[in-house]
Amino acid sequence: MSQFYDGRLIATVGDITEFEVDAIVNAANSSLLGGGGVDGAIHRRGGPAILEECKQLRRHSLPKGLPSGRAVITRAGKLPARYVIHTVGPVWQDGRHGEDDYLEACYRNSLDLAAGHAAATVAFPAISTGVYGFPKDRAARIAFAAIGEYLYRNTVPRSVYCVFFSPDDYQTFVDEVSAILQAIEEQE
Ligand code: ADP
């Protein structure tokens, strides 16, 4: 486990479905009707109540699905969290199709929704870095910057967890962040 931004950002290894936080973030697909990876795990462990709420959202406000970069919130069924924030990361193409901006928007919009629901603690998976193929080092830099910017400007959420499924992915994040912090230190 590593801490950054005065302890408000915690990077760790684990299964996000086990996190007892106010909100966990789901790397969903635009259908909101479930998928593989972290999405599959959240629906499996959370039970059918989450899918039912997602279907309602599709019927009433998102007939075409949730666009990349946006986020919606549901309750969390049987999960220990209170809410699930569903966001749709960009599918990696070549980095020239706005992928960075969409990924940044996922973090920002998810944090905005969390704050709007007074969620003090939020856990993120590494959005887009699985099936969607976003390079993990680049995604780490974007996540770190986007979360940092949000925490700097806002007091809620108080704490944000970046949850990595594998120790390798966690290490990639820590290495990227260390390089960023060192570059900042050398500039000062
Ligand atoms: P995407 O389609 O956005 O790439 P994936 O679910 O395929 O979403 O992968 C996103 C990240 O979530 C990957 O780094 C994957 O290793 C990780 N992941 C998968 N299952 C879990 C889980 N239960 N808890 C935390 N992270 C997970």
Side-chain angles (χ1 to χ4, degrees):
M1 191 183 94
S2 307
Q3 300 190 0
F4 308 97
Y5 301 128
D6 293 330
R8 291 178 71 196
L9 171 57
I10 300 119
T12 188
V13 180
D15 178 345
I16 203 164
T17 63
E18 294 172 358
F19 272 62
E20 294 180 28
V21 287
D22 292 319
I24 65 168
V25 176
N26 181 14
N29 59 54
S30 63
S31 81
L32 293 180
L33 301 179
V38 71
D39 194 8
I42 286 171
H43 282 287
R44 238 182 350 265
R45 288 211 50 182
I50 302 174
L51 186 60
E52 204 36 62
E53 262 191 81
C54 286
K55 284 183 181 165
Q56 294 281 349
L57 284 167
R58 283 296 308 274
R59 269 199 288 275
H60 297 299
S61 46
L62 295 163
K64 293 186 189 155
L66 184 67
S68 182
R70 299 245 323 261
V72 292
I73 192 164
T74 65
R75 281 163 302 173
K78 289 185 270 182
L79 295 172
R82 275 171 56 212
Y83 298 107
V84 177
I85 293 170
H86 308 260
T87 190
V88 181
V91 177
W92 177 260
Q93 298 181 63
D94 56 7
R96 294 181 191 153
H97 288 79
E99 293 95 327
D100 291 353
D101 292 342
Y102 284 115
L103 187 60
E104 194 264 336
C106 285
Y107 283 95
R108 185 168 23 86
N109 289 326
S110 296
L111 289 166
D112 254 342
L113 260 185
H117 287 73
T121 51
V122 180
F124 279 94
I127 300 165
S128 280
T129 66
V131 175
Y132 281 4
F134 206 111
K136 290 175 176 178
D137 53 350
R138 186 159 166 158
R141 294 194 293 272
I142 292 166
F144 184 70
I147 295 167
E149 172 98 5
Y150 201 91
L151 294 179
Y152 181 71
R153 292 176 193 279
N154 299 278
T155 53
V156 180
R158 183 188 72 241
S159 306
V160 174
Y161 293 83
C162 284
V163 182
F164 297 94
F165 209 35
S166 78
D168 273 2
D169 292 354
Y170 164 79
Q171 198 54 51
T172 299
F173 181 87
V174 171
D175 289 348
E176 289 302 318
V177 169
S178 303
I180 291 168
L181 296 177
Q182 196 175 340
I184 292 170
E185 218 168 86
E186 280 164 12
Q187 273 173 15
E188 280 166 359

